[in-house]
Amino acid sequence: MGKLYVIVPAYNEEENIERFVNDWYPIVCECNLKGGGGGVLALVS
């Protein structure tokens, strides 16, 4: 399995960031735990 990079622009997205992280963080963690090369969740302002 390859690496998973989720890079998201977050400028003026205060209302949506928490939901986005709650939705994607478990997926990125699962990728890391399975030894598939890891994953990164990055929010860029």
Side-chain angles (χ1 to χ4, degrees):
M1 183 186 312
K3 294 184 180 193
L4 172 67
Y5 291 91
V6 181
I7 303 169
V8 179
Y11 184 74
N12 288 335
E13 293 295 334
E14 295 87 8
E15 295 176 10
N16 300 313
I17 290 174
E18 184 176 0
R19 189 181 88 198
F20 176 83
V21 171
N22 288 337
D23 288 347
W24 278 96
Y25 186 76
I27 296 167
V28 173
C29 285
E30 183 177 333
C31 183
N32 287 334
L33 291 175
K34 287 187 176 182
V40 175
L41 176 60
L43 300 170
V44 182
S45 181

